[in-house]
Amino acid sequence: MSTDMEAMIRKILEDMQKGTPAPVSAATQTSTNERVATTADYPIAQKHPDWIRVGNKGLDDITLDAVMSGQVSMDDMRISPDILKAQGQIAKAGGRDQIEFNFSRAAEMTKVGDKRLLEMYNALRPYRSSKQELLAMADELEHEYGAVICAEFVREAAENYEKRKKLKGDN
């Protein structure tokens, strides 16, 4: 395989770690629970490639050949809650608390399967759900997935939709 192709793939992966939106799923990288990332750790892919895991492989194991042979799949390429939390720690250390909050919320969302996440997204659109349905979704997020930030977001949406008459049956 060409060195140029490998360089291009590495660049794409680095861009993903810098904040380009990427799909999310359960843990595929090493745990950051023991460490607190700071601005000195940014960008993670360059400064700490060892933090990034693809299944049991490291960042250096992600090559076009590995992808083409099926050793690395798109599911393997999903960002983990640990890396999202580390990105949030970096943002907070840089004085960007709202971005840290967003990364924490995104980390919670990795606990929810793709299909259910899409169902929830559609249910949050105006006129798609009743207040009771939204509150049940919030309870599901909190109690089934431990997604407290996301649950509060859905509860807030339910209250705002009620005030603005955007619930199912209001139109």
Side-chain angles (χ1 to χ4, degrees):
M1 176 175 64
S2 117
T3 307
D4 291 338
M5 185 63 75
E6 286 184 6
M8 181 178 71
I9 291 170
R10 183 163 306 284
K11 174 72 172 119
I12 291 168
L13 293 170
E14 288 174 4
D15 288 347
M16 286 172 54
Q17 290 301 317
K18 290 179 184 176
T20 303
V24 293
S25 76
T28 56
Q29 282 107 354
T30 59
S31 175
T32 57
N33 293 338
E34 305 86 37
R35 62 181 167 259
V36 175
T38 68
T39 54
D41 297 311
Y42 183 82
I44 293 173
Q46 288 178 349
K47 304 264 179 99
H48 301 286
D50 57 306
W51 291 5
I52 301 170
R53 304 297 303 160
V54 178
N56 61 356
K57 297 176 179 78
L59 187 58
D60 290 335
D61 297 318
I62 304 170
T63 64
L64 183 57
D65 286 339
V67 172
M68 296 302 287
S69 69
Q71 295 173 358
V72 176
S73 70
M74 285 307 295
D75 286 340
D76 293 323
M77 301 292 290
R78 294 175 177 220
I79 195 164
S80 77
D82 292 331
I83 291 297
L84 288 166
K85 289 174 187 174
Q87 291 284 75
Q89 291 168 349
I90 291 167
K92 186 172 184 137
R96 305 185 84 186
D97 291 349
Q98 184 61 50
I99 293 174
E100 185 273 334
F101 178 78
N102 292 342
F103 275 117
S104 294
R105 186 171 40 146
E108 284 187 352
M109 291 169 56
T110 65
K111 300 172 190 174
V112 182
D114 292 346
K115 182 180 177 192
R116 183 63 182 130
L117 197 59
L118 185 57
E119 291 168 351
M120 290 178 171
Y121 169 80
N122 283 322
L124 279 165
R125 296 176 66 195
Y127 309 109
R128 297 290 176 99
S129 301
S130 68
K131 183 175 183 182
Q132 293 74 25
E133 290 169 329
L134 291 174
L135 293 176
M137 182 192 315
D139 287 344
E140 176 187 354
L141 284 164
E142 184 172 351
H143 301 294
E144 192 169 324
Y145 300 106
V148 178
I149 297 169
C150 292
E152 187 54 36
F153 174 79
V154 173
R155 288 185 185 104
E156 185 179 328
E159 294 299 320
N160 283 311
Y161 280 10
E162 182 177 47
K163 288 177 191 172
R164 292 178 174 83
K165 305 223 180 285
K166 301 277 184 182
L167 294 167
K168 183 168 42 176
D170 286 340
N171 52 349

